[in-house]
Amino acid sequence: MPRPRKDSEILSATERLENAFWELLTDHEYRKITVTEVVREAHVNRNSFYYHYASLPELADSAIMHAVEHSTVQAPRADLNPDIEWRRQCSLVMNDPVQRQRLDRLALLAGSHSSPELIESLKDFGRLMIINDLQLDADNLDLKTDLMLDFTVGGILAVLRRWPELSKKLSVDDLLNEDVAVLAMGVYLSMSKENMLAYWSRIFKGDIPGDFKTAH
């Protein structure tokens, strides 16, 4: 009989099943993972699995959705210095072990063990998260915003493909670059309801709190 997991009395069945999915995806190709392996890893029975999920793809979607939803990516405030905002975002993600674990898991979806279905799920949930964060109307996106969403999600996917390598050597300081900060804010504002011209005007006139040169 399998030894009970240490978290078996703390985590819900769905949390254990999702954790099991990520653990198995670390070592196995998605197409080779079975429900039997998942329930064994999670220490739950098959009835419990099928009570919550109709299939393995449904579990995968749930795990991906929760990983994306709980990632600490907050919409930056357009009235603040983009350098400071970018610094805050990078510090939140890079210094939080829970967020680092989520990044590691999301990177699995862009790795060799993934599948076209998992990648599409990641793209869909990533796109939806950005739409919700920016309070956009998903059914009435203009062409520019629609393309910028695809551009942003594609960029995130590209970074996740490289994350196993980057995570070993990347630091917060590596990300704290004024050019990167302005680029990140520019992409955000191009999709948001903010006035781009008014924002850049505030930067060039020095009307944004916090000086770019002294923020470091």
Side-chain angles (χ1 to χ4, degrees), residues 146-194:
D146 194 25
L147 291 174
M148 286 303 298
L149 283 166
D150 285 344
F151 172 80
T152 303
V153 172
I156 292 171
L157 185 61
V159 172
L160 288 175
R161 286 196 180 102
R162 297 187 59 189
W163 181 246
E165 164 204 350
L166 293 174
S167 63
K168 298 174 184 177
K169 58 184 180 182
L170 195 66
S171 69
V172 175
D173 288 339
D174 293 324
L175 299 173
L176 299 181
N177 177 285
E178 290 178 357
D179 293 333
V180 176
V182 171
L183 175 62
M185 282 297 291
V187 170
Y188 159 72
L189 288 171
S190 70
M191 295 184 290
S192 75
K193 300 173 184 177
E194 295 288 339

Side-chain angles (χ1 to χ4, degrees), residues 25-191:
L25 189 61
T26 301
D27 299 318
H28 302 80
E29 293 181 31
Y30 174 66
R31 63 186 179 86
K32 295 182 179 179
I33 297 175
T34 65
V35 171
T36 299
E37 290 175 315
V38 170
V39 297
R40 184 186 298 124
E41 177 72 21
H43 292 275
V44 301
N45 57 46
R46 293 179 70 88
N47 289 338
S48 180
F49 178 94
Y50 285 111
Y51 176 80
H52 296 288
Y53 308 105
S55 62
L56 183 61
E58 189 172 307
L59 166 62
D61 277 348
S62 179
I64 295 169
M65 178 184 70
H66 289 141
V68 171
E69 281 182 343
H70 296 153
S71 297
T72 302
V73 180
Q74 302 170 0
R77 288 175 52 187
D79 61 322
L80 295 181
N81 186 320
D83 188 37
I84 295 175
E85 280 291 277
W86 180 245
R87 181 183 298 268
R88 180 175 65 86
Q89 296 281 2
C90 293
S91 297
L92 280 172
V93 174
M94 298 294 288
N95 294 328
D96 185 344
V98 175
Q99 291 301 324
R100 292 287 294 237
Q101 181 190 57
R102 290 197 180 103
L103 273 174
D104 291 341
R105 287 178 168 181
L106 291 174
L108 292 173
L109 305 174
S112 59
H113 290 171
S114 187
S115 71
E117 294 80 10
L118 294 185
I119 292 174
E120 283 304 308
S121 183
L122 172 60
K123 288 180 178 177
D124 289 343
F125 287 124
R127 184 182 170 93
L128 183 60
M129 183 187 73
I130 296 172
I131 288 173
N132 290 339
D133 284 345
L134 296 177
Q135 298 181 332
L136 302 174
D137 183 350
D139 296 323
N140 294 285
L141 296 172
D142 58 72
L143 179 60
K144 180 205 73 173
T145 303
D146 194 25
L147 291 174
M148 286 303 298
L149 283 166
D150 285 344
F151 172 80
T152 303
V153 172
I156 292 171
L157 185 61
V159 172
L160 288 175
R161 286 196 180 102
R162 297 187 59 189
W163 181 246
E165 164 204 350
L166 293 174
S167 63
K168 298 174 184 177
K169 58 184 180 182
L170 195 66
S171 69
V172 175
D173 288 339
D174 293 324
L175 299 173
L176 299 181
N177 177 285
E178 290 178 357
D179 293 333
V180 176
V182 171
L183 175 62
M185 282 297 291
V187 170
Y188 159 72
L189 288 171
S190 70
M191 295 184 290

